[in-house]
Amino acid sequence: ICSDLQREFANNINEWSLQICEDGLVVRFQNESIFPPNDSEPSLEFQQILTSFYPRFMEIIWENSEDISELRIEGHTSSEGLPQQNLFQAYLHNTELSQDRSRNVMNFVLSLPSITTNNEYMTWSFNNATAHGLSSSELILAGNVEDRERSRRVEFRLATTAQENLAGLVEQLNAD
């Protein structure tokens, strides 16, 4: 799956600030312009990127759908909050912001005409796609210091059926 993703998006990596499979089965968008500051709506630039990215991404998912158990669209923030917020208030603010961002990205990509007109993609998505806001719980560090710009990101994380298949094999071996 990683090889397919890297091959498909090789020409877009620099242009879109993409990371593919550097931290598991994940496509990561890290770019200050994907959302306006403290806004949960994807920027027009990010909408254009998603319009090109997601149908191609979904085609790879569909080709490997028997091996993929979940698509998690994750929103991440830096630890910064609004001015005058303490750490707790900033975390709660960022939890809401990251959840809204991930949900809005999911809404946007599932509303693309090339997706809505494909019943197989929609059915798979309804059963397997989720949106998760992780606030600042998974910061990206540069040494021991938070890299605020890189911490603000959206990730498309795939979970595979490998663990389920392994559990089935173990159960079968124990039964024999």
Side-chain angles (χ1 to χ4, degrees), residues 23 25-29 53-54 57-58 61 68-76 98-99 101-103 105-107 109-110 124-125 127-135 137-138 153-160:
D23 184 27
L25 200 47
V26 179
V27 176
R28 177 180 294 154
F29 289 90
F53 164 78
Y54 195 74
F57 180 69
M58 194 62 210
I61 288 175
I68 299 172
S69 60
E70 182 182 21
L71 164 59
R72 289 174 55 114
I73 300 172
E74 297 180 349
H76 298 264
S98 64
Q99 183 62 44
R101 286 178 171 180
S102 64
R103 187 179 52 251
V105 167
M106 185 172 75
N107 181 42
V109 298
L110 293 181
W124 188 92
S125 296
N127 291 317
N128 299 283
T130 58
H132 298 265
L134 296 166
S135 188
S137 65
E138 295 183 10
R153 64 197 187 277
V154 171
E155 297 179 353
F156 290 77
R157 183 175 300 273
L158 298 172
T160 66

Side-chain angles (χ1 to χ4, degrees), residues 22-91:
E22 292 184 15
D23 184 27
L25 200 47
V26 179
V27 176
R28 177 180 294 154
F29 289 90
Q30 285 179 260
N31 183 323
E32 275 294 304
S33 65
I34 61 176
F35 292 97
N38 284 309
D39 194 343
S40 63
E41 292 298 325
S43 68
L44 290 176
E45 179 184 343
F46 193 38
Q47 289 178 30
Q48 291 172 342
I49 290 170
L50 291 170
T51 299
S52 175
F53 164 78
Y54 195 74
R56 295 159 52 199
F57 180 69
M58 194 62 210
E59 187 175 322
I60 292 169
I61 288 175
W62 185 251
E63 290 170 1
N64 296 281
S65 61
E66 295 207 6
D67 297 324
I68 299 172
S69 60
E70 182 182 21
L71 164 59
R72 289 174 55 114
I73 300 172
E74 297 180 349
H76 298 264
T77 67
S78 67
S79 63
E80 293 175 285
L82 297 174
Q84 308 301 318
Q85 286 185 327
N86 63 34
L87 290 175
F88 178 69
Q89 292 166 328
Y91 183 79

Side-chain angles (χ1 to χ4, degrees), residues 87-119:
L87 290 175
F88 178 69
Q89 292 166 328
Y91 183 79
L92 291 180
H93 167 75
N94 286 331
T95 299
E96 183 176 354
L97 181 61
S98 64
Q99 183 62 44
D100 290 346
R101 286 178 171 180
S102 64
R103 187 179 52 251
N104 288 341
V105 167
M106 185 172 75
N107 181 42
F108 182 83
V109 298
L110 293 181
S111 298
L112 293 169
S114 59
I115 304 300
T116 60
T117 58
N118 186 318
N119 289 334

